[in-house]
Amino acid sequence: MKKTLFLLATLLAPLAAQAETIWTAGVIEGAPSTYYTAYKHNPSYGWDHNMCWAVSASNVIAWWQDQVTQSGAYILPEDCPTGLGVWEQVRLLWQDNAGYAVRVMQHWLSGDRSGSNDSKFTQEGLEFKGYFNHLLGADYSFNGDPRPANCMTATVYANAKTSKNTYDSAVPQIIDLISNGWGLVLGTTNHAMTMYAIEVDEQNEITQVWYSDNNYPSYGDGYLKTASVHKGAENQFGYNGIIANAIGYGGAIENVYAMRSTGMQFDTYEAVAGADNTADVFSHFLNLTVDGASDYRLKYDLREAGVDCPVDTQGNEVGNIRLLDGKLSLVAGVDKYDGGGAAQGTISFGENAADDGSRTLSVQHSACIAGEIRINTADGNTLEVTEGNTASFGRLTGTGNLDKTGAGTAEVTELVCLQGTINVHAGQFLLGTDVVLGAETVLTVDSGAQVGRAAGQPVTLTLDSGIHTNDGTMTLTTTVNANATLKGSGTFGVVTVDGGKLVVGNSPGHQEYTGALTLNSGSIEFAVGGVQAASTGQETGWQSGTYSTINMGGHDLVIGPDGEILIAVGEKALTSMGGAFELALVTGLNRTFSDAELAKLAEQTSFVPAEAGAAETSGMVLTTPKFSYKMSGNTLVLTSASAAGDTVPEPATGTLSLLALASLCTRRRRK
């Protein structure tokens, strides 16, 4: 048994190694831009001569901020000092007294003053809230075992009363911390300094140290002192004392204060069904996958993200979310929204077109949430923005359909190239300046919802194909080109029809305008009769007032010579109407039409079977009645008398009742 134990111990013993130098993460010897060496302004007396602990902590904080921003994991608050400016700010927050470096670290991060008497702080320090408080989750920890991922600072307490030459626990802790991405302040009996590197021999003992001594401003920025550790020397405080003596201040190492450069993030989050995903977590993720979680909540802050997405060492974009199934809620990070700018990463809804389930991204705090939202799944994709909040993102792409819900605002700032439908059910969907819809993008706007300008900028919306519906509000300058249809009973801005079709209402319905309506070419279609019921095959016939209308709201209506007015009718509407009719199609005009304009408009007007009433109008043949237009104040009226008309319209001389028109309508039987 003893032989077995001896053999096992031999196998587990570390192999002999040559002495090696271990530098703090990111620090390069001879490159002062990678580390900081702030000094006291008054090392012997005055404002900061007792603040070695605060200067040393400031160096580590400045180093730490460089590490987390260079990795692309974080964006510093815009008012956060950097470099040697950290020490200048710390001097304003703390009094010139003895103190502890770890307290400076935690105060800088969150404003936490625990462990320090209020007399240690200036008035500004008492009111200070920290630069990173908005990033810290409920399970955040400042002090303790340095190994948990949520512990940002640590204190290693060394026993200064050990017998001489004892290898105290502080030494292996120093080696462990500096080897694993921690920045260190070495606190001896009489002084505190920033440690940047150690040399470790084959016995895993420290033989040399590189450090910044804040008592010597004459050395200048970037100067590191070095000291050799003679581990065989006699010292009443053991090995701790030997190191402290080598540095030059006597006494012993009493504390090691550490700050971790990777402790404010988990590189990858994964939410799965059945897990408890309701608690807020740290913000500034690299990658997040949500698959089957009922509600995974993420605290975030992308307020100062740059135009270019940060990349990892493999060149992949960071800050990505894969929303496969379930709900992800983005909750408050900070009370700031800068109104635009490109944020980091991509938010993907699903992976394949045939994916089932549902995916909801709920934005519960205003922010730039992504550089791109990509819709990969056909249906079940919801972007919810809660009331009073704005979710801004650069691009909307993919091949599926997106439902915008919630009373808040979604804002796309760069482009829309979605091969699917954007269903705006509630709130606002805003387009940035000159953002156009892709050729295969369809837009529908429900009653009460709005599509319009982003940040108050005029927007030109061009529709090149598809059938787009507005039953809400579109405060846009919209062009309807050939192969595109714009329809609905909503409020419209400026609309120009260039070869496309404008369908007034939803067979029938009503449109309001806040700008001019121009028909250069293509058509404007008005529905007459109970065509809406006909879409179910159960047309009920014409009822008084059942026809499409437009209110121009005091704006201009322009009908070009190549435009066409279509009057879509259902057969039962014709047979049940009876008598002469007057249809006030357009009200609220800003002018009256002349007799010549009215006659020309009649020439450009045709009666057609209603498409929605296909069950009732299939094979229906219309003989165009005699009809005319007239003005009644600022209202354009289509009128017809009761006499039968010819097959060739004479709009200026004859009228025809719809009852008489019915006798001219025949049905063709399909062979």
Side-chain angles (χ1 to χ4, degrees), residues 117-196:
N117 190 284
D118 283 355
S119 63
K120 297 283 188 180
F121 299 92
T122 64
Q123 184 60 39
E124 186 175 348
L126 292 173
E127 298 172 357
F128 180 68
K129 302 300 183 184
Y131 289 111
F132 300 90
N133 189 54
H134 57 282
L135 302 182
L136 309 180
D139 57 350
Y140 182 82
S141 172
F142 285 112
N143 238 332
D145 186 336
R147 288 168 181 78
N150 68 337
C151 183
M152 272 307 303
T153 64
T155 302
V156 175
Y157 296 96
N159 181 3
K161 305 303 182 182
T162 56
S163 60
K164 62 183 179 179
N165 296 322
T166 300
Y167 193 94
D168 194 87
S169 61
V171 175
Q173 288 283 11
I174 291 172
I175 297 172
D176 178 71
L177 290 168
I178 202 169
S179 299
N180 288 284
W182 293 73
L184 305 185
V185 173
L186 204 62
T188 69
T189 305
N190 304 306
H191 195 35
M193 292 149 286
T194 312
M195 176 177 283
Y196 281 112

Coordinates of all heavy atoms in Angstrom, one line a residue, residues 117-196:
N117 N -15.7 53.9 6.8 CA -16.5 54.9 7.5 C -16.7 56.1 6.6 O -15.8 56.4 5.7 CB -15.7 55.3 8.7 CG -16.5 56.3 9.6 OD1 -16.7 57.4 9.3 ND2 -17.0 55.7 10.7
D118 N -17.8 56.8 6.7 CA -18.1 57.9 5.8 C -17.1 59.0 5.9 O -16.9 59.8 5.0 CB -19.5 58.5 6.2 CG -20.7 57.6 5.6 OD1 -20.4 56.7 4.9 OD2 -21.8 58.0 5.9
S119 N -16.4 59.1 7.0 CA -15.3 60.1 7.2 C -14.2 59.9 6.2 O -13.4 60.8 6.0 CB -14.8 60.1 8.6 OG -14.2 58.9 8.9
K120 N -14.1 58.7 5.6 CA -13.0 58.4 4.6 C -13.3 59.1 3.3 O -12.4 59.2 2.5 CB -13.0 56.9 4.4 CG -12.6 56.1 5.6 CD -11.1 56.2 5.9 CE -10.7 55.2 6.9 NZ -9.2 55.3 7.2
F121 N -14.5 59.6 3.1 CA -14.9 60.1 1.8 C -15.1 61.6 1.8 O -15.4 62.2 2.8 CB -16.3 59.5 1.3 CG -16.3 58.0 1.2 CD1 -16.6 57.2 2.2 CD2 -15.9 57.4 0.0 CE1 -16.6 55.8 2.1 CE2 -15.9 56.0 -0.2 CZ -16.2 55.2 0.9
T122 N -14.8 62.2 0.6 CA -15.2 63.6 0.5 C -16.7 63.7 0.2 O -17.4 62.6 0.1 CB -14.5 64.2 -0.8 OG1 -14.9 63.5 -1.9 CG2 -13.0 64.1 -0.6
Q123 N -17.3 64.9 0.2 CA -18.7 65.0 -0.1 C -19.1 64.4 -1.4 O -20.1 63.7 -1.6 CB -19.2 66.4 0.0 CG -20.7 66.6 -0.1 CD -21.5 65.9 0.9 OE1 -21.1 65.9 2.1 NE2 -22.6 65.3 0.5
E124 N -18.2 64.6 -2.4 CA -18.4 64.1 -3.7 C -18.4 62.6 -3.7 O -19.1 61.9 -4.4 CB -17.3 64.6 -4.7 CG -17.5 64.2 -6.1 CD -16.5 64.8 -7.1 OE1 -15.8 65.7 -6.7 OE2 -16.5 64.4 -8.2
G125 N -17.5 62.0 -2.9 CA -17.4 60.6 -2.7 C -18.6 60.0 -2.1 O -19.0 58.9 -2.4
L126 N -19.2 60.7 -1.1 CA -20.4 60.2 -0.5 C -21.6 60.2 -1.5 O -22.5 59.3 -1.4 CB -20.8 61.1 0.7 CG -19.9 61.1 1.9 CD1 -20.2 62.1 2.9 CD2 -19.9 59.7 2.6
E127 N -21.6 61.1 -2.4 CA -22.7 61.1 -3.4 C -22.5 60.3 -4.6 O -23.4 60.1 -5.5 CB -22.9 62.6 -3.8 CG -23.3 63.5 -2.7 CD -23.3 65.0 -3.1 OE1 -22.9 65.3 -4.2 OE2 -23.7 65.8 -2.2
F128 N -21.3 59.8 -4.8 CA -20.8 59.0 -6.0 C -21.6 57.7 -6.1 O -21.7 57.0 -5.1 CB -19.3 58.8 -5.9 CG -18.8 58.0 -7.1 CD1 -18.7 58.6 -8.3 CD2 -18.3 56.7 -6.9 CE1 -18.2 57.9 -9.4 CE2 -17.7 56.0 -8.0 CZ -17.7 56.6 -9.2
K129 N -22.1 57.4 -7.3 CA -23.0 56.2 -7.5 C -22.2 55.1 -8.2 O -22.8 54.0 -8.4 CB -24.2 56.5 -8.3 CG -25.1 57.6 -7.6 CD -25.6 57.2 -6.3 CE -26.5 58.2 -5.6 NZ -26.9 57.9 -4.3
G130 N -21.0 55.3 -8.6 CA -20.2 54.3 -9.3 C -20.4 54.3 -10.8 O -21.4 54.8 -11.3
Y131 N -19.4 53.9 -11.5 CA -19.5 53.9 -13.0 C -20.1 52.6 -13.6 O -20.5 52.6 -14.8 CB -18.1 54.2 -13.6 CG -17.6 55.6 -13.3 CD1 -16.6 55.8 -12.5 CD2 -18.2 56.7 -13.9 CE1 -16.1 57.1 -12.2 CE2 -17.7 57.9 -13.7 CZ -16.7 58.1 -12.8 OH -16.2 59.4 -12.6
F132 N -20.2 51.6 -12.8 CA -20.6 50.3 -13.4 C -21.8 49.7 -12.6 O -22.1 48.5 -12.7 CB -19.5 49.3 -13.5 CG -18.3 49.8 -14.3 CD1 -17.3 50.6 -13.8 CD2 -18.3 49.6 -15.7 CE1 -16.3 51.0 -14.6 CE2 -17.3 50.0 -16.5 CZ -16.3 50.8 -15.9
N133 N -22.4 50.5 -11.8 CA -23.5 49.9 -10.9 C -24.6 49.3 -11.7 O -25.2 48.3 -11.3 CB -24.1 51.1 -10.1 CG -25.0 50.5 -9.0 OD1 -24.7 49.7 -8.2 ND2 -26.2 51.1 -9.0
H134 N -24.9 49.9 -12.9 CA -26.0 49.4 -13.8 C -25.7 48.0 -14.4 O -26.6 47.3 -14.9 CB -26.3 50.3 -14.9 CG -25.1 50.6 -15.8 ND1 -24.1 51.5 -15.4 CD2 -24.7 50.2 -17.0 CE1 -23.2 51.5 -16.3 NE2 -23.5 50.7 -17.3
L135 N -24.5 47.5 -14.2 CA -24.1 46.2 -14.8 C -24.2 45.1 -13.8 O -24.1 43.9 -14.2 CB -22.7 46.2 -15.3 CG -22.3 47.2 -16.4 CD1 -20.9 47.1 -16.8 CD2 -23.3 47.1 -17.6
L136 N -24.4 45.4 -12.5 CA -24.2 44.4 -11.5 C -25.6 43.7 -11.2 O -26.6 44.3 -10.9 CB -23.7 45.0 -10.2 CG -22.4 45.9 -10.5 CD1 -21.9 46.5 -9.2 CD2 -21.3 45.0 -11.2
G137 N -25.6 42.4 -11.2 CA -26.8 41.6 -10.9 C -27.0 41.4 -9.4 O -26.1 41.8 -8.6
A138 N -28.1 40.8 -9.1 CA -28.5 40.6 -7.7 C -27.5 39.7 -7.0 O -27.3 39.8 -5.8 CB -29.9 40.1 -7.6
D139 N -26.8 38.8 -7.7 CA -25.9 37.8 -7.1 C -24.5 38.3 -7.1 O -23.5 37.6 -6.9 CB -26.0 36.5 -7.8 CG -25.7 36.6 -9.3 OD1 -25.7 37.7 -9.8 OD2 -25.6 35.5 -9.9
Y140 N -24.3 39.6 -7.4 CA -23.0 40.2 -7.5 C -22.3 40.2 -6.1 O -22.9 40.3 -5.1 CB -23.1 41.6 -8.0 CG -21.7 42.3 -8.1 CD1 -21.0 42.0 -9.3 CD2 -21.1 43.0 -7.1 CE1 -19.7 42.6 -9.5 CE2 -19.9 43.6 -7.3 CZ -19.2 43.4 -8.5 OH -18.0 43.9 -8.6
S141 N -21.0 39.9 -6.1 CA -20.2 39.9 -4.9 C -18.9 40.7 -5.1 O -18.2 40.6 -6.2 CB -19.8 38.4 -4.5 OG -18.9 38.4 -3.5
F142 N -18.5 41.5 -4.2 CA -17.2 42.2 -4.3 C -16.1 41.4 -3.7 O -15.0 41.3 -4.3 CB -17.3 43.5 -3.5 CG -18.1 44.5 -4.2 CD1 -19.3 45.0 -3.7 CD2 -17.7 45.1 -5.4 CE1 -20.0 45.9 -4.4 CE2 -18.4 46.0 -6.1 CZ -19.6 46.5 -5.6
N143 N -16.3 40.8 -2.5 CA -15.1 40.3 -1.8 C -15.4 38.8 -1.5 O -16.5 38.3 -1.4 CB -15.0 41.0 -0.4 CG -13.6 41.6 -0.3 OD1 -12.7 41.1 -0.9 ND2 -13.5 42.7 0.4
G144 N -14.3 38.1 -1.3 CA -14.4 36.7 -1.0 C -13.5 35.8 -1.8 O -12.5 36.3 -2.3
D145 N -13.8 34.6 -1.9 CA -13.0 33.7 -2.7 C -13.0 34.2 -4.1 O -14.0 34.4 -4.8 CB -13.7 32.3 -2.7 CG -12.9 31.2 -3.4 OD1 -12.0 31.6 -4.3 OD2 -13.1 30.0 -3.1
P146 N -11.8 34.4 -4.7 CA -11.7 35.0 -6.0 C -12.1 34.1 -7.2 O -12.1 34.6 -8.3 CB -10.2 35.3 -6.1 CG -9.5 34.4 -5.2 CD -10.5 34.2 -4.1
R147 N -12.5 32.9 -6.9 CA -12.7 32.0 -8.0 C -14.2 32.1 -8.6 O -14.3 31.9 -9.8 CB -12.4 30.6 -7.6 CG -10.9 30.3 -7.5 CD -10.5 29.1 -6.8 NE -9.1 28.9 -6.7 CZ -8.4 29.6 -5.8 NH1 -8.9 30.4 -5.0 NH2 -7.1 29.4 -5.8
P148 N -15.2 32.4 -7.8 CA -16.5 32.5 -8.4 C -16.6 33.5 -9.5 O -15.9 34.6 -9.4 CB -17.4 32.8 -7.3 CG -16.7 32.4 -6.1 CD -15.3 32.5 -6.4
A149 N -17.3 33.3 -10.6 CA -17.3 34.2 -11.7 C -17.9 35.5 -11.4 O -17.7 36.5 -12.1 CB -18.1 33.5 -12.9
N150 N -18.8 35.6 -10.4 CA -19.4 36.8 -10.0 C -18.7 37.7 -9.0 O -19.2 38.7 -8.5 CB -20.9 36.6 -9.5 CG -20.9 35.9 -8.2 OD1 -19.9 35.2 -7.8 ND2 -21.9 36.0 -7.4
C151 N -17.5 37.3 -8.7 CA -16.7 38.0 -7.7 C -15.6 38.9 -8.4 O -14.7 38.4 -9.1 CB -16.0 37.0 -6.7 SG -15.1 37.9 -5.4
M152 N -15.8 40.2 -8.3 CA -14.9 41.1 -9.1 C -13.7 41.5 -8.3 O -12.7 41.8 -8.9 CB -15.7 42.3 -9.5 CG -16.5 42.2 -10.8 SD -15.4 41.6 -12.1 CE -14.2 42.9 -12.1
T153 N -13.8 41.6 -7.0 CA -12.6 42.0 -6.2 C -12.4 40.9 -5.1 O -13.3 40.2 -4.8 CB -12.8 43.3 -5.6 OG1 -13.9 43.3 -4.7 CG2 -13.1 44.4 -6.6
A154 N -11.1 40.9 -4.6 CA -10.8 39.9 -3.6 C -9.7 40.4 -2.7 O -8.9 41.3 -3.1 CB -10.4 38.6 -4.2
T155 N -9.8 40.0 -1.5 CA -8.7 40.3 -0.5 C -8.1 39.0 0.0 O -8.9 38.2 0.5 CB -9.2 41.2 0.6 OG1 -9.8 42.4 0.1 CG2 -8.1 41.5 1.6
V156 N -6.8 38.8 -0.1 CA -6.2 37.7 0.5 C -5.4 38.2 1.7 O -4.6 39.0 1.7 CB -5.1 37.0 -0.5 CG1 -4.4 35.9 0.2 CG2 -5.9 36.5 -1.7
Y157 N -5.9 37.7 2.9 CA -5.3 38.1 4.2 C -4.1 37.2 4.5 O -4.3 36.0 4.6 CB -6.3 38.1 5.3 CG -7.4 39.1 5.1 CD1 -8.6 38.7 4.5 CD2 -7.2 40.4 5.4 CE1 -9.6 39.6 4.3 CE2 -8.2 41.4 5.2 CZ -9.4 40.9 4.6 OH -10.4 41.9 4.4
A158 N -2.9 37.7 4.7 CA -1.7 36.9 5.0 C -1.5 37.0 6.5 O -1.8 38.1 7.1 CB -0.5 37.5 4.2
N159 N -1.0 36.0 7.1 CA -0.6 35.9 8.5 C 0.8 36.5 8.7 O 1.8 35.8 8.4 CB -0.8 34.5 9.0 CG -0.5 34.4 10.5 OD1 -0.2 35.5 11.1 ND2 -0.5 33.2 11.0
A160 N 0.9 37.7 9.1 CA 2.2 38.3 9.3 C 3.0 37.8 10.5 O 4.1 38.3 10.7 CB 2.1 39.8 9.3
K161 N 2.4 37.0 11.3 CA 3.0 36.6 12.6 C 3.6 35.2 12.5 O 3.9 34.6 13.5 CB 2.0 36.7 13.7 CG 1.3 38.0 13.8 CD 2.3 39.2 14.1 CE 1.6 40.5 14.2 NZ 2.6 41.6 14.4
T162 N 3.7 34.7 11.3 CA 4.2 33.3 11.2 C 5.7 33.3 11.5 O 6.4 34.3 11.5 CB 4.1 32.8 9.8 OG1 4.7 33.7 8.9 CG2 2.6 32.6 9.4
S163 N 6.2 32.1 11.8 CA 7.6 32.0 12.2 C 8.5 32.3 10.9 O 8.0 32.2 9.8 CB 7.9 30.6 12.7 OG 7.6 29.6 11.7
K164 N 9.7 32.6 11.1 CA 10.5 33.1 10.1 C 10.7 31.9 9.0 O 10.7 30.8 9.3 CB 11.9 33.5 10.6 CG 12.7 32.4 11.3 CD 14.0 33.0 11.8 CE 14.8 31.9 12.6 NZ 16.0 32.4 13.1
N165 N 10.8 32.4 7.8 CA 11.0 31.5 6.6 C 9.9 30.6 6.3 O 10.0 29.6 5.6 CB 12.3 30.7 6.8 CG 13.6 31.6 6.9 OD1 13.6 32.6 6.1 ND2 14.5 31.2 7.7
T166 N 8.7 30.9 6.9 CA 7.5 30.0 6.6 C 7.0 30.5 5.2 O 6.8 31.7 4.9 CB 6.5 30.2 7.7 OG1 7.0 29.8 8.9 CG2 5.2 29.4 7.3
Y167 N 6.7 29.5 4.4 CA 6.1 29.8 3.1 C 4.6 30.0 3.3 O 3.8 29.1 3.3 CB 6.3 28.6 2.1 CG 6.0 28.9 0.7 CD1 7.0 29.3 -0.2 CD2 4.7 28.8 0.2 CE1 6.8 29.5 -1.5 CE2 4.4 29.0 -1.2 CZ 5.5 29.4 -2.0 OH 5.2 29.7 -3.3
D168 N 4.2 31.3 3.5 CA 2.9 31.6 3.9 C 1.9 31.5 2.7 O 2.3 31.6 1.6 CB 2.9 33.1 4.4 CG 1.6 33.4 5.2 OD1 1.5 33.1 6.4 OD2 0.6 33.9 4.5
S169 N 0.6 31.4 3.0 CA -0.4 31.2 2.0 C -0.6 32.4 1.1 O -1.1 32.2 0.0 CB -1.8 30.9 2.7 OG -2.2 32.1 3.5
A170 N -0.1 33.6 1.4 CA -0.2 34.7 0.5 C 0.6 34.5 -0.8 O 0.2 34.9 -1.9 CB 0.3 36.0 1.2
V171 N 1.7 33.8 -0.7 CA 2.5 33.6 -1.9 C 1.9 32.8 -3.0 O 1.8 33.2 -4.1 CB 3.9 33.1 -1.5 CG1 4.8 32.8 -2.7 CG2 4.6 34.1 -0.6
P172 N 1.4 31.6 -2.7 CA 0.7 30.8 -3.7 C -0.6 31.5 -4.2 O -0.9 31.4 -5.4 CB 0.3 29.5 -3.1 CG 0.4 29.7 -1.6 CD 1.5 30.7 -1.4
Q173 N -1.2 32.3 -3.4 CA -2.4 33.1 -3.8 C -1.9 34.1 -4.8 O -2.6 34.4 -5.8 CB -3.1 33.7 -2.6 CG -3.8 32.8 -1.8 CD -5.2 32.3 -2.4 OE1 -5.4 32.6 -3.6 NE2 -6.0 31.7 -1.7
I174 N -0.8 34.8 -4.6 CA -0.3 35.8 -5.5 C 0.0 35.1 -6.9 O -0.4 35.6 -8.0 CB 1.0 36.4 -5.0 CG1 0.7 37.3 -3.8 CG2 1.7 37.2 -6.1 CD1 1.9 37.8 -3.1
I175 N 0.6 34.0 -6.9 CA 0.9 33.3 -8.1 C -0.4 32.9 -8.8 O -0.5 33.0 -10.1 CB 1.8 32.0 -7.9 CG1 3.1 32.5 -7.3 CG2 2.0 31.2 -9.1 CD1 4.0 31.3 -6.8
D176 N -1.3 32.4 -8.1 CA -2.6 31.9 -8.7 C -3.4 33.1 -9.3 O -3.9 33.0 -10.4 CB -3.5 31.3 -7.6 CG -4.8 30.8 -8.1 OD1 -4.9 29.9 -8.9 OD2 -5.8 31.4 -7.8
L177 N -3.5 34.2 -8.6 CA -4.2 35.4 -9.1 C -3.6 36.0 -10.3 O -4.3 36.2 -11.3 CB -4.4 36.4 -7.9 CG -5.3 36.0 -6.8 CD1 -5.1 37.0 -5.6 CD2 -6.7 36.0 -7.2
I178 N -2.3 36.2 -10.3 CA -1.7 36.9 -11.4 C -1.7 36.0 -12.6 O -1.7 36.5 -13.8 CB -0.3 37.4 -11.0 CG1 0.2 38.5 -12.0 CG2 0.7 36.3 -11.1 CD1 1.4 39.2 -11.5
S179 N -1.7 34.7 -12.4 CA -1.7 33.7 -13.5 C -3.1 33.6 -14.2 O -3.2 33.0 -15.3 CB -1.3 32.3 -13.0 OG 0.0 32.4 -12.5
N180 N -4.1 34.1 -13.5 CA -5.5 33.9 -13.9 C -6.3 35.2 -14.2 O -7.5 35.2 -14.0 CB -6.3 33.0 -12.9 CG -5.8 31.6 -12.9 OD1 -6.2 30.8 -13.8 ND2 -5.0 31.2 -12.0
G181 N -5.5 36.2 -14.6 CA -6.2 37.4 -15.1 C -6.6 38.4 -14.1 O -7.5 39.3 -14.3
W182 N -6.0 38.4 -12.9 CA -6.3 39.4 -11.9 C -5.1 40.4 -11.8 O -4.0 40.1 -12.0 CB -6.4 38.7 -10.5 CG -7.5 37.8 -10.4 CD1 -7.7 36.5 -10.9 CD2 -8.7 38.0 -9.6 NE1 -8.9 36.0 -10.6 CE2 -9.5 36.9 -9.8 CE3 -9.2 39.0 -8.8 CZ2 -10.8 36.7 -9.1 CZ3 -10.4 38.9 -8.2 CH2 -11.2 37.8 -8.4
G183 N -5.6 41.7 -11.6 CA -4.6 42.7 -11.3 C -4.4 42.9 -9.8 O -5.4 42.8 -9.0
L184 N -3.2 43.1 -9.3 CA -2.9 43.0 -7.9 C -2.3 44.3 -7.3 O -1.5 45.0 -7.9 CB -1.9 41.9 -7.6 CG -2.2 40.5 -8.2 CD1 -1.1 39.5 -7.7 CD2 -3.6 40.0 -7.7
V185 N -2.8 44.6 -6.1 CA -2.2 45.6 -5.2 C -1.6 44.8 -4.1 O -2.3 44.0 -3.4 CB -3.2 46.6 -4.7 CG1 -2.6 47.5 -3.7 CG2 -3.8 47.4 -5.9
L186 N -0.3 45.0 -3.8 CA 0.4 44.4 -2.7 C 0.4 45.3 -1.5 O 1.0 46.4 -1.6 CB 1.9 44.0 -3.1 CG 2.6 42.9 -2.4 CD1 1.8 41.6 -2.7 CD2 4.0 42.8 -2.9
G187 N -0.2 44.9 -0.4 CA -0.3 45.7 0.8 C 0.7 45.1 1.8 O 0.4 44.1 2.4
T188 N 1.7 45.9 2.1 CA 2.7 45.5 3.2 C 2.3 46.2 4.5 O 1.4 47.0 4.5 CB 4.1 45.8 2.8 OG1 4.3 47.2 2.8 CG2 4.4 45.2 1.4
T189 N 3.1 46.0 5.5 CA 2.8 46.6 6.8 C 2.9 48.1 6.6 O 2.1 48.9 7.3 CB 3.9 46.2 7.8 OG1 3.9 44.8 7.9 CG2 3.6 46.8 9.2
N190 N 3.8 48.7 5.8 CA 4.0 50.1 5.7 C 3.6 50.8 4.4 O 3.7 52.0 4.3 CB 5.5 50.4 6.0 CG 6.0 49.8 7.3 OD1 5.4 50.0 8.3 ND2 7.0 49.0 7.2
H191 N 3.2 50.0 3.4 CA 3.0 50.7 2.1 C 2.1 49.8 1.2 O 1.9 48.6 1.5 CB 4.4 50.9 1.4 CG 4.4 51.8 0.3 ND1 3.6 52.9 0.1 CD2 5.1 51.8 -0.9 CE1 3.8 53.5 -1.0 NE2 4.8 52.9 -1.6
A192 N 1.6 50.4 0.1 CA 0.8 49.6 -0.9 C 1.4 50.0 -2.3 O 1.6 51.1 -2.6 CB -0.6 49.9 -0.8
M193 N 1.5 49.0 -3.1 CA 2.1 49.2 -4.5 C 1.3 48.3 -5.4 O 0.7 47.3 -5.1 CB 3.6 48.8 -4.5 CG 4.5 49.7 -3.7 SD 5.9 48.8 -3.0 CE 5.1 47.9 -1.7
T194 N 1.4 48.6 -6.7 CA 0.8 47.9 -7.8 C 1.8 46.8 -8.3 O 2.9 47.2 -8.8 CB 0.3 48.8 -8.9 OG1 -0.4 49.9 -8.4 CG2 -0.6 48.0 -9.9
M195 N 1.4 45.6 -8.3 CA 2.3 44.5 -8.8 C 1.9 44.2 -10.2 O 0.8 43.9 -10.5 CB 2.3 43.3 -7.9 CG 3.1 42.1 -8.4 SD 3.0 40.7 -7.2 CE 4.1 41.3 -6.0
Y196 N 2.9 44.1 -11.1 CA 2.6 43.8 -12.5 C 3.2 42.5 -13.0 O 2.8 42.0 -14.0 CB 3.1 45.0 -13.4 CG 2.2 46.2 -13.4 CD1 2.6 47.4 -12.8 CD2 1.0 46.1 -13.9 CE1 1.7 48.4 -12.8 CE2 0.1 47.2 -14.0 CZ 0.5 48.3 -13.4 OH -0.4 49.4 -13.4

